[in-house]
Amino acid sequence: ITFSKGDTMLSRKPEEEIYDKVVDLTEYAKRQRWWNRLFGKNCGPVAEKYSVGTQIAIGGLSGWCVGYLFQKVGKVAATSVGGGLLLLQIANNTGYIQVDWKRVEKDVNKAKKQLKKGTNQVGPELNTFVEKSTQFVKQNIVITSGFIGGFLLGLAS
């Protein structure tokens, strides 16, 4: 769009009309076969409400908060578990407690066998949770990628 001194009307150049015909990339991608196979035909209910920048900002900020909290809670949990194991080992070495290691080994082997037997039978509620989660990720790919990036930054900070 050009203005000249004294003009009150807008005049358009032919090159600028070409830019009006540029295809929206999200619509173009949704029409592609690979996009539909990867994300499904109904991807993006959030994408229709907010711009890509807003989605990335919301996902990134929420991901950073969750990652930061995860990091802090993880440190406290690791310290608690490690400190507890250290205290148990000190108590064992000083004679305050006696551990029957044969019984511990037998119980661990028994638990291993039960876990191996149970891994073949995944509950139906887990399958539905996984299906719902993948459907959510496919429908909200932009906000999910922002969340993952923010989560990793939150863990690093």
Side-chain angles (χ1 to χ4, degrees):
I1 301 173
T2 59
F3 290 103
S4 62
K5 192 173 187 177
D7 282 346
T8 56
M9 299 288 291
L10 298 175
S11 62
R12 298 181 69 142
K13 293 183 179 178
E15 300 90 32
E16 292 174 351
E17 291 177 8
I18 294 171
Y19 294 114
D20 292 337
K21 297 178 182 178
V22 173
V23 178
D24 183 17
L25 288 179
T26 56
E27 292 302 318
Y28 174 76
K30 284 181 184 180
R31 288 191 301 251
Q32 299 305 312
R33 205 179 278 168
W34 64 269
W35 182 271
N36 290 332
R37 263 187 275 140
L38 186 61
F39 300 115
K41 293 183 180 184
N42 256 358
C43 65
V46 173
E48 296 166 2
K49 296 179 185 175
Y50 300 105
S51 70
V52 173
T54 304
Q55 290 180 60
I56 290 175
I58 291 171
L61 184 63
S62 60
W64 182 84
C65 291
V66 170
Y68 186 76
L69 289 174
F70 191 79
Q71 174 200 29
K72 295 300 179 187
V73 170
K75 282 183 180 179
V76 169
T79 303
S80 300
V81 170
L85 290 174
L86 181 65
L87 287 175
L88 283 174
Q89 190 63 34
I90 289 172
N92 183 34
N93 286 339
T94 55
Y96 284 106
I97 59 173
Q98 291 293 328
V99 178
D100 185 4
W101 290 109
K102 297 272 186 199
R103 186 173 177 189
V104 170
E105 185 179 356
K106 186 177 91 175
D107 290 342
V108 167
N109 289 334
K110 186 177 175 182
K112 280 183 188 178
K113 288 178 186 176
Q114 288 179 347
L115 284 174
K116 282 184 181 180
K117 188 176 14 173
T119 54
N120 296 336
Q121 302 168 349
V122 178
E125 60 274 350
L126 182 63
N127 286 337
T128 57
F129 175 74
V130 169
E131 289 172 6
K132 287 181 181 180
S133 299
T134 54
Q135 182 181 7
F136 176 81
V137 168
K138 287 179 181 180
Q139 288 180 345
N140 302 300
I141 191 70
V142 176
I143 201 165
T144 304
S145 60
F147 179 86
I148 291 171
F151 180 79
L152 294 175
L153 287 173
L155 281 178
S157 61

